Amino acid sequence: ENLKNVDSSFSGVSDPYCICTLGGKEVMRTSTRWNELEPIWNDKDSIEWDGTSDLVFEVYDKNKINSDCLLGRASLPASDITWEGTKRELALEATGDSSSKSVLHVRVEIDTVLPNLEPGNPESLDIPFVCLINPRSGSKMGAMILKDAVLMPQLQARFFDIVHVATQPDVFKAFSEQLQAVRLEAEKKTKLQECRPRLICGGGDGTASFAVSCVFRALLTEDGGFSWSGDELQRFFPALVQMPLGTGNDLGGILGWGRSMDPVGHREKTRQWFREAMSHRRPVRALDVWGIQPSCCGKVCM
């Protein structure tokens, strides 16, 4: 609103349009409003946002003969963009001499495959969880879920690339600390009669056993015991929730979590899947966990 008039004709005024840039690259452009200093665009578009870059808006006057003239520029800091939606009134920095105080109204909504959950809130009924995902599973759909998690501050610390947990000591340490935090969160869920945390495993059937082994490794002490007491293990050892991202999803199907998942084509169904995974109404069933550890000096036949 209140844009500067730079049209040199006697009868006309500025013909504004707005572009949005991300990291110096144009990601959106509105239509042009002819002869209008109070334009209302109401244009909508979807862009890929990395969760850290500011959004820069530039308003131009459209010229048919000469180059377009910049009317003003404004930035929306990444820190101001929240998962519940952001609506801002941005002051446009005018170019040249201008007494007008131009304003740009913008609205930004984050569309992720993850729902609004509050597992860390003691008053919420959402179950605390930690998530291990194979980024290559499901034609790299796992990587997309990990990317969306970065956009949600209340959830991002719970999502891990399972390959990095297994190969990078600093990531494994962060996973171990998050596992401890999840147990403490579960203890504070006093509104629930029983609160067993969830271990969401995104990948094929083989990823599930790998994810469980990561949990055991995180809880092991140097003397071969566990950092949790027997009572804590019985109450808070996380229940496995198999996210069917791989090509072989028999385990997910048997456990009732489905045999396939399409976060790209069915975003709302994916959000509903996560809501179900965090629901305290979902029953928990006991499974035996066992493994074979060959001796270091024994012969192995393949």
Side-chain angles (χ1 to χ4, degrees):
E1 64 184 44
N2 197 30
L3 293 179
K4 178 183 177 182
N5 182 19
V6 296
D7 199 303
S8 59
S9 65
F10 292 104
S11 59
V13 294
S14 296
D15 308 310
Y17 67 90
C18 180
I19 69 171
C20 175
T21 63
L22 187 63
K25 180 180 179 181
E26 181 180 326
V27 293
M28 179 182 176
R29 179 181 293 239
T30 70
S31 55
T32 300
R33 291 290 183 262
W34 303 98
N35 293 318
E36 181 61 71
L37 297 181
E38 306 282 338
I40 299 176
W41 287 292
N42 282 333
D43 287 9
K44 299 179 181 180
D45 204 350
S46 296
I47 66 174
E48 289 288 334
W49 182 53
D50 58 11
T52 59
S53 299
D54 297 345
L55 298 182
V56 179
F57 299 91
E58 295 176 337
V59 180
Y60 287 87
D61 172 48
K62 184 71 174 179
N63 290 315
K64 295 181 179 180
I65 300 176
N66 300 320
S67 59
D68 297 346
C69 178
L70 178 63
L71 299 177
R73 178 185 291 110
S75 295
L76 178 62
S79 58
D80 287 357
I81 302 175
T82 60
W83 57 267
E84 65 265 22
T86 303
K87 191 175 182 180
R88 290 289 185 274
E89 181 180 289
L90 305 176
L92 287 171
E93 297 179 5
T95 58
D97 295 330
S98 176
S99 59
S100 63
K101 295 183 179 180
S102 304
V103 173
L104 179 68
H105 299 268
V106 299
R107 182 177 179 178
V108 178
E109 295 181 350
I110 296 179
D111 179 27
T112 75
V113 297
L114 303 175
N116 176 22
L117 298 171
E118 295 183 306
N121 182 357
E123 300 299 316
S124 167
L125 298 181
D126 298 329
I127 300 295
F129 73 94
V130 64
C131 184
L132 293 173
I133 294 182
N134 183 346
R136 299 183 181 90
S137 291
S139 298
K140 298 185 178 180
M141 289 184 185
M144 187 198 73
I145 294 175
L146 289 171
K147 184 178 179 180
D148 276 11
V150 175
L151 304 178
M152 306 190 72
Q154 80 279 23
L155 298 181
Q156 60 182 237
R158 302 173 185 274
F159 284 76
F160 294 88
D161 181 328
I162 194 171
V163 178
H164 291 169
V165 170
T167 59
Q168 299 181 17
D170 58 332
V171 179
F172 175 74
K173 180 181 178 182
F175 169 72
S176 301
E177 292 173 348
Q178 186 60 45
L179 194 62
Q180 298 289 347
V182 163
R183 178 181 64 81
L184 294 175
E185 290 171 347
E187 288 181 336
K188 296 177 181 179
K189 294 280 185 174
T190 55
K191 288 187 175 182
L192 299 176
Q193 186 175 1
E194 180 180 349
C195 182
R196 182 176 296 277
R198 304 291 191 260
L199 171 65
I200 299 180
C201 170
D205 292 343
T207 310
S209 58
F210 190 24
V212 174
S213 70
C214 288
V215 174
F216 276 113
R217 180 184 164 204
L219 296 179
L220 280 175
T221 59
E222 293 183 357
D223 59 1
F226 292 102
S227 58
W228 293 3
S229 68
D231 178 66
E232 289 171 339
L233 288 170
Q234 184 175 0
R235 294 172 57 198
F236 302 119
F237 192 91
L240 176 69
V241 180
Q242 181 67 10
M243 185 190 307
L245 292 180
T247 54
N249 296 306
D250 293 334
L251 181 59
I254 291 172
L255 296 179
W257 297 110
R259 294 183 179 274
S260 64
M261 197 174 196
D262 181 10
V264 175
H266 299 93
R267 299 178 73 83
E268 181 53 38
K269 286 185 177 180
T270 304
R271 284 189 284 265
Q272 184 57 36
W273 187 95
F274 273 100
R275 294 188 190 99
E276 286 291 325
M278 298 306 105
S279 173
H280 65 281
R281 296 184 178 88
R282 292 289 300 218
V284 176
R285 298 289 184 261
L287 291 175
D288 290 335
V289 178
W290 54 275
I292 299 175
Q293 179 66 46
S295 63
C296 60
C297 300
K299 296 182 179 180
V300 178
C301 298
M302 301 297 290

